Amino acid sequence: MKALVTGGARSGKSGFAERLCMSRASRACYIATAQAYDMEMKERIALHRVQRESAGYDWQTLEEAQALPELLQRLGGDQASQPAPMLLVDCLTLWLSNVLLAAGEDGEAASRAAMDALAAAVEQYPGQLVIVTNEVGDGIVPEYPLGRLYRDLSGVMNQRIARLCDEVFLVTAGIPVELKQLEYKL
């Protein structure tokens, strides 16, 4: 089972994704993609960690800002020795911004290559996988070219990953709705 959980900022998507994992496995690996560049972000990361730990669930937390596809491949590993763990990736849009900004002037090409690698890793992951992402295209058109590029790449990435997932949840005001059940097919 692969599930994508999307929504706007502070919509409740991360909390829902965590509860989804807890309902489907006795333990999971939480892959955090955020980087703490300032005190406010350090506080957010610490709060998320405390909230996970207080839930009484067996989370193993890994931090990976850029090499997410490689980490998914490594964790999917050798199925003969041990089944692949339930994974929660939070979140893809932070991962994409990390990749885009680290590449500098080659950001678009590097991001597209990283998205290709990510799609392959998601498709090949043999275990349960829950992925959180943001709907960044629902807001205003960014004023700057880099913002517009990021918005466009995020939309393309989200569509690609959604196609690979069995379930796609949109969370708005804390209410999750499973979109693939509602999908209109032409």
Side-chain angles (χ1 to χ4, degrees):
M1 180 281 311
K2 294 179 177 84
L4 181 68
V5 179
T6 189
R10 310 309 284 166
S11 63
K13 61 191 175 298
S14 293
F16 170 73
E18 290 171 11
R19 291 189 305 277
L20 186 62
C21 287
M22 290 187 273
S23 74
R24 294 182 174 178
S26 60
R27 52 186 265 193
C29 180
Y30 188 103
I31 302 173
T33 62
Q35 297 182 80
Y37 289 117
D38 56 39
M39 187 52 78
E40 187 265 344
M41 194 60 173
K42 287 179 185 176
E43 291 170 358
R44 280 179 180 254
I45 291 170
L47 177 62
H48 276 263
R49 192 170 280 141
V50 166
Q51 288 172 334
R52 282 194 306 276
E53 291 169 0
S54 69
Y57 184 73
D58 188 10
W59 290 108
Q60 173 193 8
T61 301
L62 301 174
E63 296 179 0
E64 183 50 64
Q66 293 183 40
L68 181 59
E70 295 82 359
L71 180 60
L72 292 178
Q73 290 171 343
R74 193 167 58 251
L75 292 172
D78 179 18
Q79 293 303 291
S81 63
Q82 184 173 315
M86 160 72 96
L87 298 182
L88 170 56
V89 177
D90 195 355
C91 85
L92 285 191
T93 43
L94 281 174
W95 169 77
L96 179 62
S97 69
N98 296 337
V99 171
L100 179 63
L101 295 175
E105 289 190 21
D106 196 32
E108 182 173 3
S111 296
R112 289 187 185 279
M115 288 167 30
D116 289 344
L118 176 67
V122 166
E123 187 169 33
Q124 294 167 8
Y125 189 74
Q128 296 187 77
L129 181 58
V130 175
I131 305 166
V132 177
T133 192
N134 287 283
E135 283 298 321
V136 298
D138 283 348
I140 60 172
V141 175
E143 184 176 348
Y144 299 99
L146 180 61
R148 290 189 296 274
L149 174 62
Y150 173 70
R151 178 207 52 194
D152 293 348
L153 289 170
S154 295
V156 169
M157 175 185 65
N158 288 347
Q159 288 182 54
R160 258 183 106 174
I161 300 303
R163 281 193 298 273
L164 298 173
C165 289
D166 306 298
E167 300 169 306
V168 177
F169 295 93
L170 172 64
V171 182
T172 301
I175 302 169
V177 176
E178 207 288 312
L179 297 176
K180 285 207 169 185
Q181 293 177 7
L182 303 173
E183 181 180 11
Y184 183 80
K185 307 244 185 201
L186 291 176

